[in-house]
Amino acid sequence: MALISATPQRSSSGTESHCQRARSRCQKPPPDLSHETHRILENDGHRMLVFTPPGPGGRVLLQTRRGALVQDRFPDLVAAAEQLPHGLVLDGEALVWDSEAGALSFEGLQRRVSASSRTAAALAARLPAYFVAFDILQADGTELLTLPYRERRRRLEVLFAARELTAPWTLCPMTTDVVEAREWLESWTDVSGVEGILVKGMNQRYLPNCRGWSKIRRRDTTEAVIGAITGTLTRPQLLILGRRDHTGRLRAVGRTVPLRPEQSRQVTEQLTAAEPGHPWEGVRIAASWGSRDVLGATLVRPDSVAEISVDRSIDRGGVYRHPLRFQRLRLDVEVVDVPAFGQGPAAAAG
């Protein structure tokens, strides 16, 4: 039985594709990446498989990493699949372009994924989707999982060239040159929606549900104001950080990973209980980006500045989607010198 199928199969646990079952069976460790590796860009999108039907009249299917079928939410990608041959399975990432912001939008992508079939077409017009392909798993109905990546990549490049594929289909850049990859990490990640690079072995076969690659995300150092904590004033566990917007209001931008004991002791010396009128009084602080869970936070006087390490996953408003890493207190920086809300990894003034 093939491991990849464009038709969802029925099992005792419900509807799932062959690819999903292959994911659940994989128990092999990631391959050694110390030799003959390549690098591809890591985008801020949703991992997705594209299945074209084996012949005319069949359905195009779009499957998320968790196995959900979402083609009804991406009518623009389904329509564009006319450019693709039958019996094809592509692995890649779905991205969304916000024309008003002039940038890739993860928030827009979240809206597309959660849309109903009734609103999908209108959202597609405002927030068009793109598919960045980085692997080919099936061609002309023939499974390619056991081929080394170098051969799968060659076939993917031939597909794009022979079919003269255009937007929304995009071939993910790839290099085996370490210097070029370093340049990508330093410069391409300045573009909104590009987080870093993935490193994979050129000889590795496709391993469903196995992490056969290494992620290298760009991280920057910046500053934010400590507005609240979890834990107690004498033993803080997490810092909840903010920045002031153009009106001067302190807006939460994220929380840190748990503090190490020595970091907790360092921060404790500068914490003071909040006075009445704290800008976050009555505010429910989410445990993480997009979460409905609420942190049990203790408000503090927002007069201490923390230096933090951040990645490039920032929503359009200026909130970091991943936890921040506390580096140190910046006793030499005033709150007014902290970058404003929405300025991302900018450095403090002064």
Side-chain angles (χ1 to χ4, degrees):
M1 185 184 296
L3 294 180
I4 300 291
S5 172
T7 304
Q9 303 295 315
R10 193 74 187 172
S11 73
S12 59
S13 60
T15 300
E16 63 177 3
S17 71
H18 291 302
C19 191
Q20 287 174 268
R21 289 204 294 276
R23 290 190 180 110
S24 65
R25 286 201 302 266
C26 181
Q27 297 178 345
K28 293 186 178 182
D32 180 13
L33 297 180
S34 58
H35 302 289
E36 293 191 290
T37 59
H38 71 282
R39 292 89 180 161
I40 62 174
L41 288 174
E42 181 189 19
N43 298 292
D44 194 12
H46 275 200
R47 185 81 174 270
M48 187 177 288
L49 296 177
V50 175
F51 298 79
T52 62
R59 296 176 63 203
V60 173
L61 301 180
L62 306 179
Q63 187 184 60
T64 69
R65 181 165 52 184
R66 295 184 178 182
L69 296 176
V70 294
Q71 59 275 1
D72 60 326
R73 300 163 200 179
F74 291 90
D76 43 351
L77 291 182
V78 171
E82 293 182 355
Q83 299 181 42
L84 304 177
H86 296 302
L88 178 72
V89 180
L90 295 178
D91 191 0
E93 283 189 305
L95 306 174
V96 158
W97 180 260
D98 186 333
S99 56
E100 291 184 5
L104 295 172
S105 172
F106 189 82
E107 299 72 44
L109 180 59
Q110 294 283 72
R111 291 180 63 191
R112 292 290 308 270
V113 170
S114 60
S116 66
S117 55
R118 183 170 53 86
T119 61
L123 277 176
R126 296 205 312 269
L127 299 166
Y130 295 82
F131 185 83
V132 180
F134 49 70
D135 212 336
I136 181 170
L137 311 186
Q138 182 173 292
D140 297 324
T142 301
E143 181 186 301
L144 307 177
L145 301 184
T146 59
L147 294 180
Y149 180 77
R150 67 171 73 252
E151 175 60 20
R152 301 199 310 275
R153 176 71 188 195
R154 185 191 70 80
R155 296 190 185 204
L156 184 62
E157 292 176 353
V158 167
L159 169 70
F160 269 78
R163 307 287 296 199
E164 298 182 341
L165 296 181
T166 58
W169 310 110
T170 303
L171 180 63
C172 186
M174 187 273 284
T175 183
T176 58
D177 188 309
V178 175
V179 174
E180 185 175 25
R182 186 176 295 115
E183 171 63 22
W184 287 1
L185 191 61
E186 293 175 355
S187 61
W188 286 36
T189 49
D190 285 333
V191 178
S192 174
V194 181
E195 295 184 320
I197 59 176
L198 297 178
V199 183
K200 300 184 181 183
M202 288 294 287
N203 292 324
Q204 75 182 70
R205 62 187 180 87
Y206 190 86
L207 298 173
N209 204 36
C210 286
R211 174 153 304 178
W213 59 84
S214 298
K215 288 185 177 182
I216 303 176
R217 284 197 173 112
R218 171 171 167 173
R219 300 197 69 87
D220 296 293
T221 299
T222 187
E223 291 81 23
V225 178
I226 303 174
I229 61 168
T230 65
T232 65
L233 291 175
T234 57
R235 189 172 294 179
Q237 298 173 348
L238 306 176
L239 304 181
I240 302 165
L241 304 170
R243 287 176 169 177
R244 298 190 183 278
D245 61 18
H246 68 282
T247 68
R249 182 165 65 98
L250 188 66
R251 304 273 297 277
V253 297
R255 66 159 180 89
T256 65
V257 299
L259 300 177
R260 298 192 302 271
E262 64 274 17
Q263 293 176 326
S264 181
R265 289 191 293 269
Q266 177 190 4
V267 171
T268 294
E269 298 175 358
Q270 302 298 320
L271 294 180
T272 306
E275 299 170 348
H278 189 289
W280 294 348
E281 281 185 357
V283 174
R284 294 163 59 90
I285 300 175
S288 60
W289 187 89
S291 172
R292 295 183 179 180
D293 296 331
V294 178
L295 287 175
T298 299
L299 301 181
V300 300
R301 285 181 55 180
D303 55 8
S304 295
V305 177
E307 181 178 283
I308 51 177
S309 172
V310 301
D311 64 20
R312 288 298 196 167
S313 297
I314 311 171
D315 73 14
R316 182 175 173 183
V319 177
Y320 290 94
R321 299 208 323 272
H322 300 150
L324 315 171
R325 299 177 188 174
F326 173 74
Q327 301 295 300
R328 59 174 177 149
L329 288 172
R330 288 298 304 271
L331 303 180
D332 58 326
V333 175
E334 299 289 337
V335 169
V336 294
D337 296 325
V338 170
F341 183 78
Q343 287 190 336

